[in-house]
Amino acid sequence: MVAGTALAVQSRINGELAVRLADPIGAATISFGSGLLVLAVLVPLLPAGRAGLGHLRAALREGRIRLWQCVGGMCGGFLVATQGLTVPTLGVAVFIVAVVAGQSSSSLLVDRAGAGPAGPQPVTTPRLAGAVLTVCAVLLAVGDRIGHPSALALAVLPLVAGLGIAWQQAVNGHVRAVSGSALVAGLVNFFMGTAVLLIAFAVSVAVRGFPTRVPEGPWWLYAGGTLGIVFIALGAAVVRYTGVLLLGLGMIAGQVTGALLLDEVVPGDAGRPGWNTVLGAALTLAAVAVAVLPTRRSRA
């Protein structure tokens, strides 16, 4: 939930940077690139970071982790690029619903297949109910902001991005497990995500040209990458204990409640949240509680 709250604050910061830069993909590239820069300096300076890089290299040589398990950050880069490509048409509400629907359903499958470091997790009734309840909660929270249905076909992109988030969290957990460092897992994630965004930015420059504005604002405009480090590192550290589904539901709950508090304390252009948003946030917390209920077999 702390990681989800960090993601909510990061979304507000990156949104403001995108407005001032007039280029959503450029803003996302700056955000990911700043996170990569921080980790590229920090990890080699820390003894645990240097040791983690050594452990990761050894694990790759010995086959304890595959190279494809180190590219989870590409899903994060695709998610951020998709945000810039679809939110102007879909709106934030449809984007969030599509991502959460993809993430919740994919988390069940990823857990069932044992792709995460926690191993195979059964699809129990409480876990399935928690995933469905989460989607319903987000629909309730943003239902009054869903736009015209003719644009919903574009929602396939954030839906696919949501499917990729679960796999990203699973493989990042493996990188953290073999390296022994959440920061090393974050470094690998940000490297791959930045690579994807640089490609997307190059395409954007070829089509639209370079951004015409250079934002000169407060320092926090460039803090999005640092908050992304918190999001990725906490997720990589926790997933081996919770599994992918519970991690995802907890992050969604933190994101919705964090956004709710942020909009209440520092309202954005959309104004303060309405009753449906408050009720939806409460329902996401209930969904996490339902998902962690033990089954009869586990109680026995």
Side-chain angles (χ1 to χ4, degrees), residues 74-104:
M74 295 178 66
C75 294
F78 177 70
L79 172 67
V80 178
T82 299
Q83 185 178 28
L85 291 170
T86 63
V87 167
T89 301
L90 293 176
V92 177
V94 177
F95 179 86
I96 291 175
V97 171
V99 169
V100 169
Q103 182 180 359
S104 299

Side-chain angles (χ1 to χ4, degrees), residues 20-46:
R20 299 197 185 197
L21 190 64
D23 188 337
I25 295 181
T29 305
I30 291 173
S31 178
F32 252 77
S34 65
L36 175 63
L37 181 61
V38 170
L39 287 173
V41 173
L42 183 62
V43 170
L45 289 178
L46 297 175

Side-chain angles (χ1 to χ4, degrees), residues 201-269:
F201 183 63
V203 173
S204 175
V205 168
V207 174
R208 302 173 51 193
F210 280 98
T212 57
R213 304 179 187 175
V214 178
E216 298 179 359
W219 62 270
W220 53 262
L221 276 178
Y222 301 94
T226 304
L227 290 170
I229 294 172
V230 175
F231 171 75
I232 295 297
L234 283 178
V238 169
V239 67
R240 58 177 174 164
Y241 302 109
T242 62
V244 177
L245 176 64
L246 185 56
L247 170 66
L249 296 184
M251 285 184 171
I252 292 168
Q255 186 176 0
V256 173
T257 54
L260 176 68
L261 293 173
L262 195 63
D263 284 346
E264 184 64 35
V265 176
V266 189
D269 293 337

